[in-house]
């Protein structure tokens, strides 16, 4: 419904009718339309906690592919601006959005960094939340402001390169060539 008519035009009454239920039934589970939409968006892309390719760039690439799928999903594209705007006035929604959207991403980045540090690919100590923000921020910004450019593989490559640089990742073959 949001994809078809937009976030601002969607109401709890319309959702209840489409679901074949009542407003009170919806409100027993969700406090607002925004909470319904946040939950629906968070179910669009589930980050696999077992992802470990053995290579940090590959792990970040996989994460960004999942993020591209999320940030180009029609529901996310149509709902995110309204949700962000509404969350500026609603602490409960802001917390829910953070929990639904950012927490899984931050956990995935933390796992990838921990695995890379255990392998000796990077030195431990990078802030996983900052690295997640480097990966996610530009995609979110372009979702909110499409005139800035597409959420695409090029943006994913740029954000992965920035994150790898921020954690001091150096491929062994690159370091060898540079020393020669």
């Amino acid at each position: 419904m949001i994809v078809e008519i937009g976030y601002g035009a969607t109401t709890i009454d319309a959702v209840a009718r489409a679901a074949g239920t009542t407003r009170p039934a919806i409100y027993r589970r969700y406090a607002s339309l925004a909470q319904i939409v946040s939950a629906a968006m968070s179910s669009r892309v589930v980050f696999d906690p077992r992802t470990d390719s053995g290579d940090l760039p590959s792990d970040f690439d996989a994460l960004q592919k999942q993020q591209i799928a999320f940030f180009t999903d029609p529901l996310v594209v149509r709902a995110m601006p309204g949700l962000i705007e509404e969350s500026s006035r609603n602490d409960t929604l802001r917390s829910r959005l953070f929990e639904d959207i950012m927490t899984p991403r931050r956990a995935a980045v933390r796992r990838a960094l921990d695995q890379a540090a255990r392998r000796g690919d990077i030195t431990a100590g990078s802030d996983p939340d900052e690295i997640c923000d480097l990966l996610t921020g530009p995609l979110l910004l372009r979702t909110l402001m499409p005139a800035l450019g597409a959420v695409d593989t090029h943006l994913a490559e740029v954000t992965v390169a920035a994150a790898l640089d921020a954690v001091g990742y150096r491929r062994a073959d690159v370091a060898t060539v540079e020393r020669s």
Side-chain angles (χ1 to χ4, degrees):
M1 186 177 302
I2 288 172
V3 171
E4 292 173 11
I5 64 173
Y7 180 81
T10 302
T11 65
I12 290 287
D13 285 332
V15 171
R17 278 193 306 278
T21 190
T22 64
R23 282 176 56 107
I26 300 252
Y27 280 119
R28 277 192 293 273
R29 181 160 169 105
Y30 299 99
S32 67
L33 176 66
Q35 286 187 356
I36 295 169
V37 175
S38 179
M41 284 184 357
S42 68
S43 71
R44 298 294 199 180
V45 175
V46 178
F47 294 100
D48 185 350
R50 298 162 294 159
T51 299
D52 182 5
S53 67
D55 176 64
L56 185 59
S58 296
D59 290 345
F60 280 177
D61 285 340
L63 175 63
Q64 288 306 75
K65 285 179 182 160
Q66 294 170 355
Q67 296 228 85
I68 288 171
F70 177 79
F71 284 110
T72 59
D73 182 286
L75 173 62
V76 174
V77 169
R78 293 285 297 206
M80 189 65 79
L83 283 174
I84 296 291
E85 190 274 328
E86 193 170 333
S87 75
S88 71
R89 298 182 312 274
N90 182 327
D91 291 340
T92 302
L93 175 59
R94 186 172 31 256
S95 295
R96 175 89 184 238
L97 276 174
F98 186 85
E99 186 64 31
D100 289 348
I101 307 299
M102 291 308 299
T103 297
R105 286 160 176 73
R106 288 185 167 193
V109 169
R110 181 170 282 107
R111 278 190 304 274
L113 292 174
D114 288 346
Q115 292 162 351
R118 279 195 299 276
R119 287 190 303 266
D121 295 343
I122 61 171
T123 303
S126 296
D127 183 336
D129 294 342
E130 288 178 2
I131 302 307
C132 181
D133 294 348
L134 280 173
L135 293 166
T136 306
L139 282 67
L140 174 59
L141 182 62
R142 287 190 180 188
T143 299
L144 296 172
M145 301 180 78
L148 293 175
V151 175
D152 58 13
T153 55
H154 175 70
L155 182 60
E157 291 167 0
V158 169
T159 55
V160 166
L164 290 171
D165 186 54
V167 300
Y169 180 83
R170 306 287 285 170
R171 287 184 190 244
D173 56 332
V174 172
T176 302
V177 169
E178 288 179 354
R179 283 188 295 238
S180 310

